[in-house]
Amino acid sequence: MLSIVLPAYNEAENIQPVYRDITESLTGHAGDREIIFVDDGSVDGTFSEVEKLSRQDPRVRGIRLSRNFGHQAALYAGLNEARGDQVIIMDADGQHPASMIPALLNKLSEGYDIVNTTRVETEGSGAVKKTSSRWFYRLFNALSDVKIEPSSADFRIMNRKALSAFLSIEEQDRFTRGIISWMGFRQAILEYRAPRRISGTSKYSFRKMRLFALDGITSFSSKPLRISAIIGIIVLVSGLLYMIYAVTMFFLGRTNPGWTSLLVTILILGGVQLLILGIIGEYLARIFHETKRRPHYFIQQRTGD
Ligand code: UDP
Ligand code: MG
């Protein structure tokens, strides 16, 4: 059986068209299938659209999370529900073309465990989003031991073996594409062209993108902590050199009021200390969050089962 998992946050207008695209692309597919929509706490009737579909087509199922837990948690919820031997994850806004599904299935059958995708182009995507995404992957790959293809998407197919491995990783701040890369197994990449979303606007607010980037980096790299220590050493050595200079000047009797140098030193030291404290704080917050071991999500309602 093939499972298709789609997280959806306020995508009411997109549920039907995306369902139709998937059905169309699978007309030649012999095996059984299920389509699982995960309503990530929508407020716009997304779930009633899913309910409508599940009444028409018994292969459609839906779960509604108890609030908005975010894209990555919704993916985890959907993958936990999937019963297929192969599982596809894709967006519910039409930006992950369903016409790619046969190609994903084919590639998987060549003996891969995971087939990932990268966007070669996104229609209607702003320059800010493109540039920030490019810089994020540069930074991520520079800092982390795990490598991620730039422009990679949460649009992929996995077999049961890879899915079980993925589900066994229980960390809270889930950065799916990093976890997948970290897991290993036999992986392949396919390219696709992302069209505009069918309706509505991006559900990744600036705040969500920032959290996503922070989760990614702090979950897969401790280099910022080490870089903090290196900055500390550089500042300390410079301070010592300056101290030698200052003491020498004192004994030579050439001390002057020194207001500027004092002010600059205090400002720079203060800034560096706060920055490093902030980095440590960020990791501490992750540890705090992780140790609470709360469930990743709650299910409020189900349909079509
Ligand atoms: N999404 C979600 N929860 C969220 C934000 C987004 O389930 O809190 C879903 C959204 O409905 C879509 C997918 O995640 O199916 C990708 O989001 P979006 O299309 O807004 O991101 P973009 O394509 O702009 O990067
Ligand atoms: Mg989208």
Side-chain angles (χ1 to χ4, degrees), residues 161-176:
K161 185 167 48 171
L163 178 62
S164 305
F166 179 81
L167 293 177
S168 74
I169 296 168
E170 289 183 338
E171 63 191 66
Q172 296 275 331
D173 301 309
R174 301 185 74 78
F175 184 64
T176 305

PDB file of all heavy atoms in Angstrom, residues 161-176:
ATOM      1  N   LYS A 161      11.085   0.661   5.860  1.00  0.00           N
ATOM      2  CA  LYS A 161      12.322   0.564   6.645  1.00  0.00           C
ATOM      3  C   LYS A 161      12.793   1.967   7.061  1.00  0.00           C
ATOM      4  O   LYS A 161      13.075   2.215   8.233  1.00  0.00           O
ATOM      5  CB  LYS A 161      13.396  -0.133   5.797  1.00  0.00           C
ATOM      6  CG  LYS A 161      14.681  -0.402   6.528  1.00  0.00           C
ATOM      7  CD  LYS A 161      15.603  -1.367   5.780  1.00  0.00           C
ATOM      8  CE  LYS A 161      15.768  -1.017   4.319  1.00  0.00           C
ATOM      9  NZ  LYS A 161      16.808  -1.785   3.630  1.00  0.00           N
ATOM     10  N   ALA A 162      12.835   2.880   6.093  1.00  0.00           N
ATOM     11  CA  ALA A 162      13.276   4.241   6.390  1.00  0.00           C
ATOM     12  C   ALA A 162      12.268   4.948   7.291  1.00  0.00           C
ATOM     13  O   ALA A 162      12.637   5.689   8.211  1.00  0.00           O
ATOM     14  CB  ALA A 162      13.471   5.018   5.090  1.00  0.00           C
ATOM     15  N   LEU A 163      10.976   4.692   7.048  1.00  0.00           N
ATOM     16  CA  LEU A 163       9.946   5.347   7.866  1.00  0.00           C
ATOM     17  C   LEU A 163      10.059   4.915   9.337  1.00  0.00           C
ATOM     18  O   LEU A 163       9.981   5.749  10.240  1.00  0.00           O
ATOM     19  CB  LEU A 163       8.546   5.024   7.324  1.00  0.00           C
ATOM     20  CG  LEU A 163       7.406   5.620   8.154  1.00  0.00           C
ATOM     21  CD1 LEU A 163       7.465   7.141   8.161  1.00  0.00           C
ATOM     22  CD2 LEU A 163       6.044   5.155   7.654  1.00  0.00           C
ATOM     23  N   SER A 164      10.260   3.617   9.565  1.00  0.00           N
ATOM     24  CA  SER A 164      10.394   3.150  10.948  1.00  0.00           C
ATOM     25  C   SER A 164      11.576   3.812  11.625  1.00  0.00           C
ATOM     26  O   SER A 164      11.506   4.200  12.794  1.00  0.00           O
ATOM     27  CB  SER A 164      10.591   1.638  11.004  1.00  0.00           C
ATOM     28  OG  SER A 164       9.559   1.006  10.334  1.00  0.00           O
ATOM     29  N   ALA A 165      12.673   3.939  10.875  1.00  0.00           N
ATOM     30  CA  ALA A 165      13.854   4.600  11.446  1.00  0.00           C
ATOM     31  C   ALA A 165      13.514   6.051  11.780  1.00  0.00           C
ATOM     32  O   ALA A 165      13.820   6.546  12.865  1.00  0.00           O
ATOM     33  CB  ALA A 165      15.010   4.536  10.455  1.00  0.00           C
ATOM     34  N   PHE A 166      12.823   6.701  10.861  1.00  0.00           N
ATOM     35  CA  PHE A 166      12.470   8.108  11.067  1.00  0.00           C
ATOM     36  C   PHE A 166      11.588   8.276  12.305  1.00  0.00           C
ATOM     37  O   PHE A 166      11.797   9.178  13.120  1.00  0.00           O
ATOM     38  CB  PHE A 166      11.745   8.644   9.827  1.00  0.00           C
ATOM     39  CG  PHE A 166      11.321  10.074   9.951  1.00  0.00           C
ATOM     40  CD1 PHE A 166      12.228  11.096   9.723  1.00  0.00           C
ATOM     41  CD2 PHE A 166      10.030  10.400  10.319  1.00  0.00           C
ATOM     42  CE1 PHE A 166      11.852  12.420   9.859  1.00  0.00           C
ATOM     43  CE2 PHE A 166       9.644  11.723  10.459  1.00  0.00           C
ATOM     44  CZ  PHE A 166      10.561  12.736  10.224  1.00  0.00           C
ATOM     45  N   LEU A 167      10.597   7.383  12.448  1.00  0.00           N
ATOM     46  CA  LEU A 167       9.662   7.515  13.569  1.00  0.00           C
ATOM     47  C   LEU A 167      10.326   7.184  14.902  1.00  0.00           C
ATOM     48  O   LEU A 167       9.877   7.637  15.955  1.00  0.00           O
ATOM     49  CB  LEU A 167       8.443   6.605  13.359  1.00  0.00           C
ATOM     50  CG  LEU A 167       7.536   6.990  12.189  1.00  0.00           C
ATOM     51  CD1 LEU A 167       6.419   5.977  12.027  1.00  0.00           C
ATOM     52  CD2 LEU A 167       6.958   8.399  12.369  1.00  0.00           C
ATOM     53  N   SER A 168      11.396   6.392  14.863  1.00  0.00           N
ATOM     54  CA  SER A 168      12.062   6.030  16.115  1.00  0.00           C
ATOM     55  C   SER A 168      12.874   7.195  16.682  1.00  0.00           C
ATOM     56  O   SER A 168      13.305   7.158  17.824  1.00  0.00           O
ATOM     57  CB  SER A 168      12.970   4.822  15.897  1.00  0.00           C
ATOM     58  OG  SER A 168      14.117   5.229  15.190  1.00  0.00           O
ATOM     59  N   ILE A 169      13.097   8.221  15.870  1.00  0.00           N
ATOM     60  CA  ILE A 169      13.832   9.399  16.344  1.00  0.00           C
ATOM     61  C   ILE A 169      12.818  10.340  16.983  1.00  0.00           C
ATOM     62  O   ILE A 169      11.932  10.856  16.306  1.00  0.00           O
ATOM     63  CB  ILE A 169      14.549  10.088  15.177  1.00  0.00           C
ATOM     64  CG1 ILE A 169      15.601   9.133  14.623  1.00  0.00           C
ATOM     65  CG2 ILE A 169      15.186  11.393  15.617  1.00  0.00           C
ATOM     66  CD1 ILE A 169      16.176   9.558  13.305  1.00  0.00           C
ATOM     67  N   GLU A 170      12.922  10.516  18.286  1.00  0.00           N
ATOM     68  CA  GLU A 170      11.820  11.175  18.984  1.00  0.00           C
ATOM     69  C   GLU A 170      12.109  12.610  19.384  1.00  0.00           C
ATOM     70  O   GLU A 170      11.443  13.157  20.240  1.00  0.00           O
ATOM     71  CB  GLU A 170      11.457  10.348  20.224  1.00  0.00           C
ATOM     72  CG  GLU A 170      10.788   9.044  19.829  1.00  0.00           C
ATOM     73  CD  GLU A 170      10.335   8.227  21.003  1.00  0.00           C
ATOM     74  OE1 GLU A 170      10.889   8.443  22.106  1.00  0.00           O
ATOM     75  OE2 GLU A 170       9.450   7.386  20.816  1.00  0.00           O
ATOM     76  N   GLU A 171      13.127  13.236  18.784  1.00  0.00           N
ATOM     77  CA  GLU A 171      13.437  14.573  19.269  1.00  0.00           C
ATOM     78  C   GLU A 171      12.284  15.544  19.022  1.00  0.00           C
ATOM     79  O   GLU A 171      11.475  15.378  18.118  1.00  0.00           O
ATOM     80  CB  GLU A 171      14.759  15.086  18.707  1.00  0.00           C
ATOM     81  CG  GLU A 171      14.816  15.251  17.226  1.00  0.00           C
ATOM     82  CD  GLU A 171      16.258  15.506  16.765  1.00  0.00           C
ATOM     83  OE1 GLU A 171      17.100  14.600  16.898  1.00  0.00           O
ATOM     84  OE2 GLU A 171      16.519  16.618  16.302  1.00  0.00           O
ATOM     85  N   GLN A 172      12.217  16.556  19.886  1.00  0.00           N
ATOM     86  CA  GLN A 172      11.071  17.461  19.912  1.00  0.00           C
ATOM     87  C   GLN A 172      11.084  18.456  18.753  1.00  0.00           C
ATOM     88  O   GLN A 172      10.114  18.572  18.034  1.00  0.00           O
ATOM     89  CB  GLN A 172      11.058  18.245  21.228  1.00  0.00           C
ATOM     90  CG  GLN A 172      10.861  17.381  22.448  1.00  0.00           C
ATOM     91  CD  GLN A 172       9.401  17.108  22.719  1.00  0.00           C
ATOM     92  OE1 GLN A 172       8.540  17.912  22.389  1.00  0.00           O
ATOM     93  NE2 GLN A 172       9.110  15.968  23.306  1.00  0.00           N
ATOM     94  N   ASP A 173      12.184  19.199  18.638  1.00  0.00           N
ATOM     95  CA  ASP A 173      12.254  20.223  17.596  1.00  0.00           C
ATOM     96  C   ASP A 173      12.679  19.539  16.311  1.00  0.00           C
ATOM     97  O   ASP A 173      13.857  19.442  16.020  1.00  0.00           O
ATOM     98  CB  ASP A 173      13.249  21.313  17.985  1.00  0.00           C
ATOM     99  CG  ASP A 173      12.851  21.979  19.288  1.00  0.00           C
ATOM    100  OD1 ASP A 173      11.689  22.397  19.397  1.00  0.00           O
ATOM    101  OD2 ASP A 173      13.693  22.052  20.200  1.00  0.00           O
ATOM    102  N   ARG A 174      11.716  19.058  15.576  1.00  0.00           N
ATOM    103  CA  ARG A 174      12.023  18.183  14.455  1.00  0.00           C
ATOM    104  C   ARG A 174      12.369  18.983  13.211  1.00  0.00           C
ATOM    105  O   ARG A 174      11.564  19.757  12.722  1.00  0.00           O
ATOM    106  CB  ARG A 174      10.851  17.260  14.158  1.00  0.00           C
ATOM    107  CG  ARG A 174      10.470  16.385  15.312  1.00  0.00           C
ATOM    108  CD  ARG A 174       9.398  15.426  14.916  1.00  0.00           C
ATOM    109  NE  ARG A 174       9.915  14.359  14.082  1.00  0.00           N
ATOM    110  CZ  ARG A 174      10.585  13.326  14.553  1.00  0.00           C
ATOM    111  NH1 ARG A 174      10.837  13.214  15.839  1.00  0.00           N
ATOM    112  NH2 ARG A 174      11.023  12.390  13.736  1.00  0.00           N
ATOM    113  N   PHE A 175      13.564  18.742  12.692  1.00  0.00           N
ATOM    114  CA  PHE A 175      13.991  19.359  11.446  1.00  0.00           C
ATOM    115  C   PHE A 175      14.094  18.208  10.446  1.00  0.00           C
ATOM    116  O   PHE A 175      15.143  17.581  10.299  1.00  0.00           O
ATOM    117  CB  PHE A 175      15.326  20.064  11.670  1.00  0.00           C
ATOM    118  CG  PHE A 175      15.819  20.827  10.489  1.00  0.00           C
ATOM    119  CD1 PHE A 175      15.111  21.910   9.996  1.00  0.00           C
ATOM    120  CD2 PHE A 175      17.003  20.481   9.873  1.00  0.00           C
ATOM    121  CE1 PHE A 175      15.572  22.614   8.903  1.00  0.00           C
ATOM    122  CE2 PHE A 175      17.471  21.186   8.777  1.00  0.00           C
ATOM    123  CZ  PHE A 175      16.757  22.249   8.292  1.00  0.00           C
ATOM    124  N   THR A 176      12.952  17.928   9.808  1.00  0.00           N
ATOM    125  CA  THR A 176      12.808  16.673   9.059  1.00  0.00           C
ATOM    126  C   THR A 176      13.939  16.446   8.060  1.00  0.00           C
ATOM    127  O   THR A 176      14.538  15.373   8.029  1.00  0.00           O
ATOM    128  CB  THR A 176      11.448  16.654   8.327  1.00  0.00           C
ATOM    129  OG1 THR A 176      10.432  16.887   9.298  1.00  0.00           O
ATOM    130  CG2 THR A 176      11.207  15.327   7.648  1.00  0.00           C
TER     131      THR A 176
END
